[in-house]
Each structure stands twice: as structure tokens, then as C-alpha cells.
Amino acid sequence: MKNLFVIVLSLFFVKTYSQNTVPTKKTPSSYTKHGLTITDDYSWLENLQSPETTKWVEEENKITTSHLEEIKKKYNLEKKIKEYNKLRSASLPQKKEKYFYSVYYGDNDKTATIYYSKKIDDLPIELLSTDKVFKNKNVVLGSFSPSKSSALLAYVVSLDGSDRTQIRFMDINKKTNLKDSLTDVKFSGASWNLDFGIFYKKNTNVNKIAVDSTNQLYYHKIGTKQSEDKLIFDCTKTGGYFSFYTTRGLLIIIESNKDESVSNYYQVSLSDPDFTLSKFIDSETNGIKFLDYRENQIYFSSKEFEWGEIRSFNINNRKEETVIIPQIYSQLLVSSYFSDDYIFCRYKTIGKNYIRVYDPKGNFIRKFDTPNGFEFRIRYYDEATKNLYVTLNSYVYPTVNYKLNVETGEIIQYYNDYIRAKATIFPIDYFETKNITYKSRDNKDVPITIIHKKGMALDGNNPTLLKAYGGSGVVSSPYFSAGLLCFLEKGGVFAFAEIRGGGEKGLKWEKDGARFKKMNSFNDFIDAAEYLIKEKYTSPDKLAITGGSYGGLVVGVAMTKRPELFKVAVPEVGVFDMIKFSQYTVGRYHENEFGSPDNKNEFDNLYSFSPYHNIDEKINYPITLIITSENDDRVPPLHSFKFAARLQNRESQKNPIYIQTLSNSGHHGKTSTYEDHIKSDAEFYDFLLYHLNN
């Protein structure tokens, strides 16, 4: 009897450790789509406001928090991350109309503060403290825009991290807040009509996770109530999507149909008190991307040209099209910056980023190259000195500021009284950055960036983090993270794969990872893992994968398709139920990326890789930390809830499955204060080091 008690007790502890979950009830509900009956045991978790769901989230968070606290006894990077951050030099401010602006976070729990100066060398002056205005530790500062004369400032804030925001205003000269306040703003900055008012997008959702209703453009006149705002444009009936901006006396509106295959273009004269719309392009199918407007000329790129180019036409005559800067094969035009005298084009190719300078007619002036592993970001062009101010960005070296002289080609590192030189955290050759390619299973060259300590032994025993995004044509950029630096310093390897679906190798690269070709994205990611293992950077027992949003889906597919390749998976704010994704928030806008569940063939394709539906009852999946946010109204947390619940509640699951639901935060996580940034960074890398080294 005593021996039986010991055996039972041992089994209890084994099960408790391995499952590490709260009991999650199964309430089967079935629905039929295209002749296939799908049973969903956890659809009750889609009701985010129910007491049952709330309790489940609380209990799951308790387990995850307890585990993260236990990890801190062995790994606690928070102090080291702060130490590394103190060695960073300030980045250049951004020129907006008359003044220069920077955003700073204090070394505490204060929210963002906007500083400004009249000259780039002047000491910044505090303009707006969101902490003082809102007295809310969860407020997140979004974009901000000065009026034409820089008399007023419009700024966007989220009070709970969600995409539904407010726009507030202040008098820059008096440093006082205006009474004007706009609510229910979504996916919108403020585009000024001189100093008179702003244009903005308004959302009408009652249920925040219902199908998105950001279909209306309004005009707000300063000094009036929001209820008096004028409706300018409405695409509610068509169910399409629109974007807008103001430039040189015009409001430009670009309307696309549901799958973004056809677009209409409208202009509105800002001097017209009625804001009458005039269509200047009807049913455009080539996907024009507007770049600039001046002297009746529209400057644009077209999806006809894979690598990106710049063309122009007269706004009153679409047929008069002129090539300004032709595309350069295999050199991706990432962005362009127009001044009165020059066009600055930022290019990306494998292992290289650079800026080419042209005159307004497209004549080449000169080229500026970055060192390996760095990327330029343009901040400001000074016509008086002919200096282009840029930042150099890298995964492992903090931002460095430079002046590039267009006339002489001189490159000068920039400092002033508040942007001061600081000692490098590590010697410049301490880490090795490789920008190379690997072969996909269908023989495509997929770019990958691999970073590790110089001279590290490639013996397959290195803790490694593989990351990707792979959606919507997004072009990846390096960004400095003190947490990543800690991980690398402790012997880690970091790899970022530029998989298909992203835009790193042009428009075809994006299309080859969309709709019926979406599986290419996931296969590229899996192939990256196999490459790292084959080349002995790591092994399946030392490999972690992560990604957010689209990248969260990539991780979800990879871990369910090839679980034996990975020790740890950390998907963040991912889409996991691909059959229901279009029923919530902005999902319908991504049918051109994934396909529509209402189409039989596209449904079959979605079902074939949907992470939630491809969980095998007999497989023990990798150690997993699923991260989501309670106020994420872009990818609602129900995807993560259901994915976690199904992974956890299977007898075969021996590795722990954790889920962390961040409170008072949205799609970008807990980001309102400096302390929030540090905590999330430290917890992430603590988790990796603990599990990859155990």
C-alpha cells in the first residue's frame, strides 16, 4: 500500500510538471464549411469578456508569472540590459515643419515625453509629457504632427494599448493643451489643412474585435466639437480600404477594393471649403504607390516593376508618364526621400545597404555605402549645408549618427551637446555578422542574417534564436536590442531569415509567399532551421524560434509541422485559427495575403496549414511561450487562447506550454514605459537562456 502511494504521488508530480496547466474545459461546438465538419472544443474562449475566459486567463498568467520568477533565480538580464542601454548615444531628432522633435522615456515608469528644438544643435526642450497630461501608466504615444506653421501639434495616443486611439492638440508656442479631443480614431495619424484643422479616420465598431469598420474619413476644424466634424469620404458600402494624406495644398485619397487589385485616386483642394472630391485616376490595376507631389506632378512607384523605381505623371493627365529613376535589378528600392534639390533613394541587397542621390530629373549624383550589418535611416536634409543627416542601425551596435555631404561625399560622425560620444559596449569586431543565403527546398536563394561572437566554435551546441516575419511585403530592418546583445554575449546565435511573403527581394518575392503559395513562407522558415542545424550553428535541442504577428503565424506553422526541429517556440500575437481569421477585426484586409475561407480551394489551403487545426493529439510539441495582449484589436487574443488550450490539454504533451496575456496592452505588447520595455525584453531572453541551456 505504501509503495502504491509513492507511485501514485510520483505520477502526480510528473504530470503536474509536464502539463503545467490549469484545467481547461472542452465544450465541443461544430460547424460545417465546404462539406467539412469542424469540431472546436475551445470556441468558448472566443468570448473575451465572459467570466470563464477572464478566470482562465488569470490562472494561466499565474502559472506563467510563477515560472518566469523561478527563472530569475538563474537568469536575470534586467540589470545588464539597463547597463547596456546607458551606453547608447541619443539618436538624431526628426525634422517636422519648422522644428526638430525627439521622444524620450525616463529610467522609471514614466510614459513618453516629446522634446523639440528650433535647430538641430540646440538642447531639446520638453514640449509634452503624456505622463502629466493623462496620469495613466498605460498610455502609448503614437504619431504626432505639427501644423503647417508649427503653431499647433496634433498627437495620437492609445490609453490601453489598442489600435483605437485619441487625437489631442496643443499650442506649441504657449505649451498649453487645447480642449479639442477626438475619439474612436483608428489606423490614422493627423493630416493638417494648414493650421485650420486635420483629416483623420474614424472607427465605428461597438464590439472591438468585430470586423473592422474604419471606413470613414472626417475633417475636424480646430476649436469645434467632434460631433460637428465633416464626413469627407466613406467606403462602408464597398467594404474596401482607403489611405490619405495632405501635401502642397491637396488632400489625396486612395481607395482600394477588398483584394487591393483595383484602386481609385481622388484629389481635394484644401482651398475648397466644401472639400469636393475629384477623381483623377479611375480603376488603376498596377498598384501605384505615391511618393511625392509637386508642381502638378505625381511621383510614384508601380507594382509593374519588381525592384522599385520612380516615375511621374501630371495629375491632370495620367497618360503622360515619365521614368525618373529606373529599377536596378536585384537592388531593392526600400524608400525615397524628396528635397527641393535631390531625391535620396535607400536601397537594400544581400549584405549591403546604401543611399543613391539623384537630382530631380533622375541624374545620378553619388552613392553612400553602409558597413556590413548596418542600415541607413534618413532623418533630415539641410539645404544650406548640403548635409544629409542619417542614423546607422544594427542588431548589435547602438545607433550612430552621421552627416553625409552631398556635394563633397564627406562622411562625418555627428555629435552635439546632448548627442555625445560614448564608449562602445563591445569592440567593433567582437561579433560576426554574416549576410548570406541558404537554399530552400525548391532551390531558391533565401537571405539570412546570422550573428554570433567572432571565433565561436560551430559544434552544434550553441543556443540559437531563429526569427522571421514573412508577410504583406514587409522589408525587414536591423534594430538594436540590449536583450539580444546579452543573449549573444552569453554564447547565443541569432538568425533572421528573409523568407518569401516579405518584400526583401522585390514584389515577386512577396507574391511567392501569398495565397496558394503561402506555404513557401513556412517552408523557407523550416529550411532555415535545417540549414542552421546542418551547418552546426546549433541542434534541435538548442534551437528556439520566434516571430510576431505574421511571424507568430510562421512560428505556429513551423512548430506544428516540424516539432522535432525545435526546443523552444515563442510565437507573439499570432494568427492561429486560419478558418476564422477574417471574422475578426482587420482579418478581412488580409484575404489577399492568405486567401478567403469562403472560397473552397482557398479554404482547403488554409486548413492545410492552420496551426490550431493541425495540432496532432499524439505529438509532444516544443516548450512554448505564447505571448498575447488583452487589448489587441488587430490580432485578437482568442487565437492565442485557443492555441494554448489545445496544445496544453493533450496526454501526449510533456513539454510545458505557457501563455502570457499582457494587461492594458495591444498588438505591440507592453510598451508604454521604459520599465515595460526592459521587463519584456529581459523575460524573453531569460526564458530562452533557461530552456535552451537546460
mmCIF file of all heavy atoms in Angstrom, residues 525-544:
data_model
loop_
_atom_site.group_PDB
_atom_site.id
_atom_site.type_symbol
_atom_site.label_atom_id
_atom_site.label_comp_id
_atom_site.label_asym_id
_atom_site.label_seq_id
_atom_site.Cartn_x
_atom_site.Cartn_y
_atom_site.Cartn_z
ATOM 1 N N PHE A 525 11.118 29.057 -43.718
ATOM 2 C CA PHE A 525 11.495 29.170 -42.305
ATOM 3 C C PHE A 525 12.009 27.834 -41.774
ATOM 4 O O PHE A 525 13.042 27.768 -41.093
ATOM 5 C CB PHE A 525 10.293 29.653 -41.501
ATOM 6 C CG PHE A 525 10.602 30.010 -40.070
ATOM 7 C CD1 PHE A 525 11.368 31.118 -39.770
ATOM 8 C CD2 PHE A 525 10.104 29.256 -39.023
ATOM 9 C CE1 PHE A 525 11.653 31.476 -38.456
ATOM 10 C CE2 PHE A 525 10.365 29.596 -37.708
ATOM 11 C CZ PHE A 525 11.142 30.708 -37.423
ATOM 12 N N ILE A 526 11.293 26.774 -42.088
ATOM 13 C CA ILE A 526 11.720 25.432 -41.675
ATOM 14 C C ILE A 526 13.063 25.090 -42.304
ATOM 15 O O ILE A 526 13.958 24.523 -41.655
ATOM 16 C CB ILE A 526 10.640 24.394 -42.051
ATOM 17 C CG1 ILE A 526 9.377 24.618 -41.193
ATOM 18 C CG2 ILE A 526 11.167 22.968 -41.885
ATOM 19 C CD1 ILE A 526 8.164 23.860 -41.678
ATOM 20 N N ASP A 527 13.239 25.469 -43.571
ATOM 21 C CA ASP A 527 14.510 25.208 -44.257
ATOM 22 C C ASP A 527 15.650 25.999 -43.620
ATOM 23 O O ASP A 527 16.798 25.533 -43.598
ATOM 24 C CB ASP A 527 14.396 25.559 -45.740
ATOM 25 C CG ASP A 527 13.441 24.638 -46.491
ATOM 26 O OD1 ASP A 527 13.082 23.580 -45.936
ATOM 27 O OD2 ASP A 527 13.046 24.978 -47.616
ATOM 28 N N ALA A 528 15.343 27.190 -43.114
ATOM 29 C CA ALA A 528 16.363 27.977 -42.400
ATOM 30 C C ALA A 528 16.818 27.234 -41.148
ATOM 31 O O ALA A 528 18.017 27.189 -40.836
ATOM 32 C CB ALA A 528 15.810 29.350 -42.026
ATOM 33 N N ALA A 529 15.871 26.650 -40.432
ATOM 34 C CA ALA A 529 16.214 25.867 -39.236
ATOM 35 C C ALA A 529 17.103 24.685 -39.600
ATOM 36 O O ALA A 529 18.112 24.408 -38.932
ATOM 37 C CB ALA A 529 14.937 25.390 -38.553
ATOM 38 N N GLU A 530 16.741 23.989 -40.670
ATOM 39 C CA GLU A 530 17.537 22.832 -41.088
ATOM 40 C C GLU A 530 18.935 23.258 -41.544
ATOM 41 O O GLU A 530 19.914 22.537 -41.326
ATOM 42 C CB GLU A 530 16.807 22.071 -42.192
ATOM 43 C CG GLU A 530 15.519 21.414 -41.691
ATOM 44 C CD GLU A 530 14.887 20.493 -42.715
ATOM 45 O OE1 GLU A 530 14.894 20.850 -43.912
ATOM 46 O OE2 GLU A 530 14.387 19.427 -42.308
ATOM 47 N N TYR A 531 19.023 24.421 -42.172
ATOM 48 C CA TYR A 531 20.329 24.942 -42.585
ATOM 49 C C TYR A 531 21.211 25.218 -41.366
ATOM 50 O O TYR A 531 22.392 24.845 -41.346
ATOM 51 C CB TYR A 531 20.148 26.213 -43.409
ATOM 52 C CG TYR A 531 21.444 26.924 -43.724
ATOM 53 C CD1 TYR A 531 22.248 26.495 -44.772
ATOM 54 C CD2 TYR A 531 21.869 28.011 -42.958
ATOM 55 C CE1 TYR A 531 23.452 27.133 -45.059
ATOM 56 C CE2 TYR A 531 23.070 28.653 -43.236
ATOM 57 C CZ TYR A 531 23.858 28.214 -44.288
ATOM 58 O OH TYR A 531 25.047 28.849 -44.555
ATOM 59 N N LEU A 532 20.655 25.870 -40.357
ATOM 60 C CA LEU A 532 21.424 26.180 -39.147
ATOM 61 C C LEU A 532 21.901 24.912 -38.453
ATOM 62 O O LEU A 532 23.008 24.864 -37.900
ATOM 63 C CB LEU A 532 20.577 27.021 -38.193
ATOM 64 C CG LEU A 532 20.229 28.440 -38.666
ATOM 65 C CD1 LEU A 532 19.195 29.067 -37.733
ATOM 66 C CD2 LEU A 532 21.477 29.309 -38.750
ATOM 67 N N ILE A 533 21.067 23.880 -38.484
ATOM 68 C CA ILE A 533 21.442 22.600 -37.874
ATOM 69 C C ILE A 533 22.505 21.890 -38.719
ATOM 70 O O ILE A 533 23.516 21.396 -38.196
ATOM 71 C CB ILE A 533 20.201 21.707 -37.701
ATOM 72 C CG1 ILE A 533 19.240 22.334 -36.667
ATOM 73 C CG2 ILE A 533 20.595 20.292 -37.287
ATOM 74 C CD1 ILE A 533 17.862 21.715 -36.657
ATOM 75 N N LYS A 534 22.304 21.883 -40.032
ATOM 76 C CA LYS A 534 23.253 21.229 -40.939
ATOM 77 C C LYS A 534 24.642 21.856 -40.846
ATOM 78 O O LYS A 534 25.657 21.146 -40.858
ATOM 79 C CB LYS A 534 22.730 21.325 -42.374
ATOM 80 C CG LYS A 534 23.671 20.757 -43.420
ATOM 81 C CD LYS A 534 23.130 21.019 -44.825
ATOM 82 C CE LYS A 534 24.141 20.580 -45.882
ATOM 83 N NZ LYS A 534 23.671 20.918 -47.255
ATOM 84 N N GLU A 535 24.673 23.201 -40.759
ATOM 85 C CA GLU A 535 25.957 23.907 -40.708
ATOM 86 C C GLU A 535 26.535 23.971 -39.293
ATOM 87 O O GLU A 535 27.529 24.661 -39.052
ATOM 88 C CB GLU A 535 25.791 25.324 -41.265
ATOM 89 C CG GLU A 535 25.396 25.382 -42.726
ATOM 90 C CD GLU A 535 26.436 24.746 -43.638
ATOM 91 O OE1 GLU A 535 27.640 24.997 -43.409
ATOM 92 O OE2 GLU A 535 26.044 23.994 -44.555
ATOM 93 N N LYS A 536 25.880 23.284 -38.366
ATOM 94 C CA LYS A 536 26.351 23.124 -36.985
ATOM 95 C C LYS A 536 26.424 24.432 -36.185
ATOM 96 O O LYS A 536 27.216 24.565 -35.254
ATOM 97 C CB LYS A 536 27.705 22.400 -36.955
ATOM 98 C CG LYS A 536 27.632 20.968 -37.492
ATOM 99 C CD LYS A 536 28.881 20.190 -37.183
ATOM 100 C CE LYS A 536 28.790 18.760 -37.691
ATOM 101 N NZ LYS A 536 27.659 18.004 -37.092
ATOM 102 N N TYR A 537 25.589 25.390 -36.565
ATOM 103 C CA TYR A 537 25.418 26.532 -35.676
ATOM 104 C C TYR A 537 24.717 26.084 -34.404
ATOM 105 O O TYR A 537 24.954 26.607 -33.318
ATOM 106 C CB TYR A 537 24.570 27.617 -36.362
ATOM 107 C CG TYR A 537 25.287 28.367 -37.440
ATOM 108 C CD1 TYR A 537 25.112 28.020 -38.784
ATOM 109 C CD2 TYR A 537 26.129 29.433 -37.139
ATOM 110 C CE1 TYR A 537 25.766 28.712 -39.792
ATOM 111 C CE2 TYR A 537 26.783 30.128 -38.145
ATOM 112 C CZ TYR A 537 26.607 29.764 -39.467
ATOM 113 O OH TYR A 537 27.252 30.450 -40.455
ATOM 114 N N THR A 538 23.843 25.091 -34.555
ATOM 115 C CA THR A 538 23.009 24.667 -33.431
ATOM 116 C C THR A 538 22.545 23.238 -33.659
ATOM 117 O O THR A 538 22.998 22.554 -34.589
ATOM 118 C CB THR A 538 21.809 25.631 -33.275
ATOM 119 O OG1 THR A 538 21.163 25.388 -32.034
ATOM 120 C CG2 THR A 538 20.833 25.519 -34.421
ATOM 121 N N SER A 539 21.609 22.799 -32.827
ATOM 122 C CA SER A 539 20.990 21.477 -32.953
ATOM 123 C C SER A 539 19.541 21.598 -32.511
ATOM 124 O O SER A 539 19.153 22.601 -31.896
ATOM 125 C CB SER A 539 21.732 20.468 -32.070
ATOM 126 O OG SER A 539 21.603 20.840 -30.705
ATOM 127 N N PRO A 540 18.704 20.614 -32.802
ATOM 128 C CA PRO A 540 17.303 20.710 -32.387
ATOM 129 C C PRO A 540 17.115 20.919 -30.893
ATOM 130 O O PRO A 540 16.121 21.507 -30.475
ATOM 131 C CB PRO A 540 16.715 19.362 -32.838
ATOM 132 C CG PRO A 540 17.548 18.965 -34.003
ATOM 133 C CD PRO A 540 18.939 19.423 -33.654
ATOM 134 N N ASP A 541 18.071 20.461 -30.089
ATOM 135 C CA ASP A 541 17.962 20.619 -28.643
ATOM 136 C C ASP A 541 18.436 21.993 -28.169
ATOM 137 O O ASP A 541 18.376 22.298 -26.984
ATOM 138 C CB ASP A 541 18.780 19.533 -27.939
ATOM 139 C CG ASP A 541 18.353 19.365 -26.480
ATOM 140 O OD1 ASP A 541 17.133 19.322 -26.229
ATOM 141 O OD2 ASP A 541 19.240 19.295 -25.612
ATOM 142 N N LYS A 542 18.897 22.833 -29.122
ATOM 143 C CA LYS A 542 19.409 24.159 -28.763
ATOM 144 C C LYS A 542 18.760 25.265 -29.591
ATOM 145 O O LYS A 542 19.217 26.412 -29.537
ATOM 146 C CB LYS A 542 20.930 24.212 -28.976
ATOM 147 C CG LYS A 542 21.734 23.389 -27.987
ATOM 148 C CD LYS A 542 21.753 24.055 -26.619
ATOM 149 C CE LYS A 542 22.660 23.341 -25.645
ATOM 150 N NZ LYS A 542 22.722 24.046 -24.340
ATOM 151 N N LEU A 543 17.711 24.950 -30.329
ATOM 152 C CA LEU A 543 17.139 25.909 -31.274
ATOM 153 C C LEU A 543 15.784 26.424 -30.800
ATOM 154 O O LEU A 543 14.877 25.649 -30.494
ATOM 155 C CB LEU A 543 16.988 25.263 -32.654
ATOM 156 C CG LEU A 543 16.402 26.135 -33.766
ATOM 157 C CD1 LEU A 543 17.196 27.413 -33.964
ATOM 158 C CD2 LEU A 543 16.331 25.339 -35.069
ATOM 159 N N ALA A 544 15.663 27.754 -30.779
ATOM 160 C CA ALA A 544 14.394 28.417 -30.456
ATOM 161 C C ALA A 544 13.940 29.213 -31.674
ATOM 162 O O ALA A 544 14.755 29.686 -32.475
ATOM 163 C CB ALA A 544 14.563 29.352 -29.260
#
